[in-house]
Amino acid sequence: MANCVVDKDGIKRYLVTIDVNGTPYTKVVKANTLLVNFLREELDMIGTKKGCELGDCGCCTVMLDGKPVNSCLILAVDVDGREVTTIEGIADGEELDIVQEKFIEHAAFQCGFCTSGMIISSRALLNENPSPTEYEVREAIAGNLCRCTGYVNIVEAVLDAAEKK
Ligand code: FES
Ligand code: FES
């Protein structure tokens, strides 16, 4: 449980330490601070997008302890002491993750708003299941909505990434 700190305005705030992409960040947050806002506003990691903020679109997807989650549905205080991976953390320095490479190669995005969430869901799938079927890929990204691409190129990119891996 995060430590409670009471500010001078009487509003309770909490001290949290969250590991994001391998680095621990300690911040004071409000009880209702969402993980997506913690990432974007406290850490300036704006690769994680905010769309519906209702758990419907998936563009805010990050990995929490290795599992894909909607960061708009999770409070920062509930992530205290846990590990988060965002789109900023999946490349290895200058070297893109194979899923990122294949998204580029297959032109698996247009506006790009869904892309970070799509890639995180796909990377989480390949971590668990390195050789997924097309059905399993579609199932894994079922919570990620794309208004532009029609999904064909996205699915092909993930399958191609799986083969190359
Ligand atoms: S912004 Fe989180 S699911 Fe849409
Ligand atoms: S590329 Fe535009 S929403 Fe997916």
Side-chain angles (χ1 to χ4, degrees):
M1 181 64 190
N3 290 325
C4 180
V5 182
V6 180
D7 267 18
K8 62 179 189 296
D9 58 6
I11 296 173
K12 282 185 180 175
R13 290 176 169 80
Y14 296 82
L15 189 66
V16 296
T17 300
I18 301 174
D19 185 302
V20 183
N21 302 324
T23 301
Y25 295 92
T26 299
K27 300 279 181 181
V28 174
V29 299
K30 290 182 183 170
N32 64 353
T33 299
L34 298 170
L35 178 57
V36 64
N37 291 335
F38 177 83
L39 295 169
R40 292 177 58 86
E41 293 167 16
E42 297 290 335
L43 306 186
D44 289 330
M45 293 188 185
I46 57 172
T48 302
K49 302 297 185 231
K50 281 171 71 174
C52 66
E53 297 183 67
L54 292 169
D56 289 332
C57 74
C59 70
C60 65
T61 305
V62 299
M63 279 186 253
L64 177 59
D65 297 333
K67 305 282 184 199
V69 295
N70 291 327
S71 60
C72 72
L73 296 183
I74 296 180
L75 297 172
V77 289
D78 288 335
V79 184
D80 185 37
R82 300 174 70 182
E83 291 182 9
V84 173
T85 305
T86 70
I87 191 68
E88 288 89 351
I90 67 165
D92 182 8
E94 295 292 302
E95 193 178 331
L96 293 178
D97 184 85
I98 187 73
V99 179
Q100 292 174 303
E101 277 182 23
K102 292 301 174 185
F103 264 59
I104 294 168
E105 197 176 307
H106 288 266
F109 47 83
Q110 287 180 34
C111 79
F113 202 79
C114 70
T115 306
S116 56
M118 282 286 183
I119 289 176
I120 290 289
S121 291
S122 303
R123 169 42 59 212
L125 168 70
L126 297 185
N127 289 349
E128 292 269 316
N129 176 4
S131 305
T133 62
E134 180 179 337
Y135 181 85
E136 288 168 331
V137 171
R138 289 184 179 276
E139 197 175 39
I141 61 169
N144 296 86
L145 304 184
C146 178
R147 290 169 183 248
C148 306
T149 65
Y151 299 96
V152 172
N153 290 15
I154 293 170
V155 172
E156 285 177 357
V158 180
L159 289 170
D160 197 6
E163 276 179 24
K164 291 294 176 297
K165 201 71 177 176

